[in-house]
Amino acid sequence: MRGIVSEANNSEAFSEAKMSDVAVIGGGINGCALAYELAKKGVNATVFEKGYLGSGATGRCGGGIRQQFDTEDNIRLVMESVKIFEKMEKELGYDIEYDQGGYLVLAHSDEEKERFKKNVELQRSMGLGVNFLEKEEIKELCPILDVDGAKAVGATFCQTDGHANPFRVTEAYAKNAERLGAEIKTFTEVKGIKKEKRFEIITEKEKMFADVVVNAAGCYSKQIAEMVGVKLPNKPYRHEILATESLKPVLKPMIISFMDGIYFCQHKTGQIVGGIGNPDEPSGINTESSFWFLEKMASTITRYIPSFKNLNVLRQWAGMYDVTPDARPILGKTNVKNFFVVCGFSGHGFMVAPVTAKLMSELIVDGKTSMPIDNLSIERFKKGVIRKEGAVVG
Ligand SMILES: Cc1cc2nc3c(=O)[nH]c(=O)nc-3n(C[C@H](O)[C@H](O)[C@H](O)COP(=O)(O)OP(=O)(O)OC[C@H]3O[C@@H](n4cnc5c(N)ncnc54)[C@H](O)[C@@H]3O)c2cc1C
């Protein structure tokens, strides 16, 4: 074990109970990626997952990786993540079905067009290769898209955006974390956490002590935080998604519209995978599928791509977005020493997980990060002024 920057670092050893440097609660992409980054730094991490790996939002997500946001923090995070995704297959030795087919972000009004042009300016100033496209250019880039049917008046396009398979990425991180010494406990629900000199993690099967706890429990992170008296402002919202039968390659970029709340792409398997948000969805944990979604998705996607009208849907499912008041993640320390949070990803936690894990491992082990994440700390909500991310599907 390498010394971690923790209050309990020099305290006496525990006798009978098991001990881990870091207990990570949640075996989604963020928990598994963090266990891997910690293991790489020689820190012994134990992941507690109440179901199977990826059983939360991760295994239910669209796998989209988009750098085109309108807040600098989000743009920077995904740009750094993309650098990691680009080398991931080699580093982790897994085919993650990574495809950089680009993301086409459709604008539907003059107001949106102007806003997107400003976004492009900001993104380009940060070094992102992104362009604004007029209607004719969209048709050229994506001939299968009915630009008029989609009611698009312009778009932005970034070629290095793309998507990957969330199950494969999670498994790749988990297996490599284990290879480097991390322990992953699936079907092990954390029932309570006691904080004394160290943390005591209570499950039905056993107790474990840890110097540091990281809350990566997705839409359950609020309940986990409450176990140590930390209050989080995030709320869970259901989002539905579907996959069709496989087609020959017909759609290169991932398509997204904030106005219609729709996103979809063609995976390497040939399936069209996509979802659409329901602006009237109440907050709460609900993973039931609905006819409302199926009808809305079918009528919208066939307006965008009429030739999809004969496409069969193979399955639909639902998962939870873990949404913060400013649609940006909550990363870092809390008012309980050595209790960290990695949550509130508001529908974008897959794409930022690689860099988030790296930064959080730096914060835990070295006490500082190679990229600033102060803007994303929980403290921002106390200050009262928050800058909301606008480039999101609600
Ligand atoms: C329909 C849909 C589409 C999405 N599309 C995209 C996309 O295209 N791109 C993108 O970047 N993001 C997308 N997201 C968001 C993304 O899925 C999440 O932000 C991301 O997966 C969060 O990962 P996580 O590891 O933080 O949380 P999760 O994957 O939710 O993992 C948290 C884990 O904690 C476990 N847990 C909870 N409580 C306990 C406990 N008491 N004890 C032990 N374990 C516990 C849960 O079982 C769960 O497995 C989408 C989400 C949905 C629902």
Side-chain angles (χ1 to χ4, degrees):
M1 158 186 165
R2 221 178 102 172
I4 53 179
V5 179
S6 85
E7 179 187 36
N9 212 18
N10 300 319
S11 56
E12 69 279 8
F14 274 84
S15 45
E16 66 289 281
K18 279 195 174 176
M19 180 69 209
S20 179
D21 295 347
V22 182
V24 179
I25 304 173
I29 181 69
N30 281 290
C32 294
L34 178 59
Y36 169 70
E37 290 294 343
L38 287 168
K40 254 181 28 179
K41 286 179 172 287
V43 171
N44 154 256
T46 304
V47 177
F48 294 86
E49 167 52 54
K50 69 176 176 171
Y52 55 88
L53 294 181
S55 57
T58 299
R60 297 156 189 272
C61 91
I65 301 162
R66 166 168 62 94
Q67 299 155 98
Q68 300 175 71
F69 283 90
D70 70 10
T71 57
E72 282 183 40
D73 296 310
N74 276 346
I75 299 167
R76 199 177 298 115
L77 281 179
V78 194
M79 281 177 72
E80 287 304 312
S81 246
V82 165
K83 288 185 195 158
I84 302 173
F85 272 114
E86 284 171 344
K87 295 188 186 132
M88 193 176 283
E89 296 199 340
K90 200 162 174 217
E91 178 172 348
L92 301 182
Y94 257 73
D95 172 9
I96 58 160
E97 293 176 2
Y98 186 45
D99 186 2
Q100 286 181 296
Y103 245 83
L104 191 59
V105 186
L106 300 181
H108 301 276
S109 64
D110 289 341
E111 184 275 322
E112 229 180 357
K113 224 171 144 172
E114 286 320 301
R115 198 151 40 84
F116 282 15
K117 282 183 179 169
K118 283 204 183 105
N119 291 350
V120 167
E121 232 173 83
L122 171 67
Q123 292 153 2
R124 287 177 78 100
S125 75
M126 294 174 68
L128 186 66
V130 56
N131 289 310
F132 186 86
L133 307 184
E134 297 296 343
K135 270 178 85 172
E136 286 312 309
E137 293 171 300
I138 305 175
K139 286 180 193 166
E140 234 169 81
L141 181 90
C142 188
I144 195 172
L145 177 72
D146 180 346
V147 178
D148 293 321
K151 300 182 187 152
V153 294
T156 61
F157 179 70
C158 172
Q159 183 65 70
T160 52
D161 287 347
H163 50 88
N165 181 323
F167 279 110
R168 285 183 178 232
V169 178
T170 306
E171 188 180 332
Y173 270 125
K175 289 278 182 245
N176 279 279
E178 284 180 315
R179 178 177 59 77
L180 296 175
E183 198 175 348
I184 297 188
K185 293 172 180 286
T186 51
F187 300 98
T188 308
E189 182 170 355
V190 173
K191 298 278 193 186
I193 305 170
K194 279 193 205 156
K195 167 78 168 132
E196 283 165 1
K197 251 183 186 168
R198 285 168 161 146
F199 292 95
E200 184 181 335
I201 319 297
I202 302 155
T203 72
E204 266 172 9
K205 299 177 189 170
E206 62 184 332
K207 284 180 188 171
M208 181 172 259
F209 290 93
D211 286 333
V212 170
V213 172
V214 183
N215 178 2
C219 70
Y220 296 95
S221 52
K222 196 174 179 129
Q223 287 92 318
I224 297 292
E226 275 166 10
M227 291 178 183
V228 293
V230 169
K231 289 205 184 322
L232 295 179
N234 36 342
K235 287 186 183 169
Y237 287 89
R238 173 177 68 164
H239 271 257
E240 298 187 69
I241 180 165
L242 58 72
T244 70
E245 61 190 328
S246 292
L247 293 175
K248 65 178 191 327
V250 291
L251 181 63
K252 203 59 196 146
M254 183 139 176
I255 293 176
I256 187 164
S257 155
F258 305 128
M259 193 197 78
D260 285 326
I262 193 170
Y263 63 91
F264 56 93
C265 68
Q266 184 169 27
H267 278 209
K268 276 194 166 171
T269 54
Q271 294 178 294
I272 304 297
V273 176
I276 195 163
N278 179 354
D280 299 323
E281 184 74 39
S283 174
I285 294 195
N286 174 9
T287 51
E288 295 290 304
S289 290
S290 74
F291 279 113
W292 178 91
F293 164 73
L294 198 55
E295 283 177 357
K296 185 76 182 168
M297 185 70 192
S299 60
T300 312
I301 200 170
T302 52
R303 184 156 61 69
Y304 280 50
I305 304 196
S307 56
F308 281 178
K309 68 178 185 297
N310 296 318
L311 201 52
N312 290 310
V313 173
L314 282 192
R315 99 191 156 86
Q316 70 176 102
W317 66 96
M320 305 305 303
Y321 275 22
D322 169 29
V323 180
T324 62
D326 60 1
R328 297 191 292 158
I330 310 175
L331 305 179
K333 297 177 181 175
T334 64
N335 57 332
V336 173
K337 200 156 189 177
N338 295 330
F339 183 84
F340 294 80
V341 281
V342 183
C343 62
F345 289 98
S346 308
H348 305 99
F350 172 70
M351 60 183 84
V352 291
V355 72
T356 298
K358 193 169 167 287
L359 295 169
M360 288 301 297
S361 73
E362 291 169 0
L363 185 64
I364 293 165
V365 180
D366 310 323
K368 57 181 191 305
T369 54
S370 53
M371 231 176 81
I373 53 168
D374 295 350
N375 283 348
L376 300 171
S377 96
I378 190 169
E379 290 302 310
R380 73 185 186 269
F381 299 108
K382 290 189 190 145
K383 293 178 190 151
V385 186
I386 52 168
R387 160 85 165 83
K388 194 168 178 177
E389 172 60 59
V392 289
V393 166

